[in-house]
Amino acid sequence: MCRLMTPRLEEALKGYPLYSQDGRGKDAVCVAIFALGSVRWFILEGEVQGNDIILYGIVVGLMEDGYGYFSLNELSDVTLDLTAKGLGKLQVRRQENFQPTKLKNLQDYRLQRFLAEFGK
């Protein structure tokens, strides 16, 4: 499996297969957070499909914030090369020691703004 997968994340995802939190909105449980710079992926669900894990969640920090599906293998392969600026190569990372938490309880301004606008 890819570098972003851990036994802890694998166990958490077992409780939240794809489509298990439909319609829960702000009460949906975020099981993991991945980040690359100011871009953050809030993972709500996921399950193994072949040699990959397909995740569902919210991404904020790109041109548009929104819900979507993500391949864990593809996220693991994303590299932002900033060596010309002296910063080296950045990769998507998983927030260490994150405990599953309802979306409404996460202290992330952009996420909460998205949820408020989406709920209208």
Side-chain angles (χ1 to χ4, degrees), residues 32-52:
I33 300 174
F34 298 118
L36 176 65
S38 63
V39 179
R40 292 168 311 287
W41 290 265
F42 297 91
I43 306 304
L44 306 176
E45 305 167 348
E47 64 186 43
V48 175
Q49 291 187 3
N51 292 329
D52 199 359

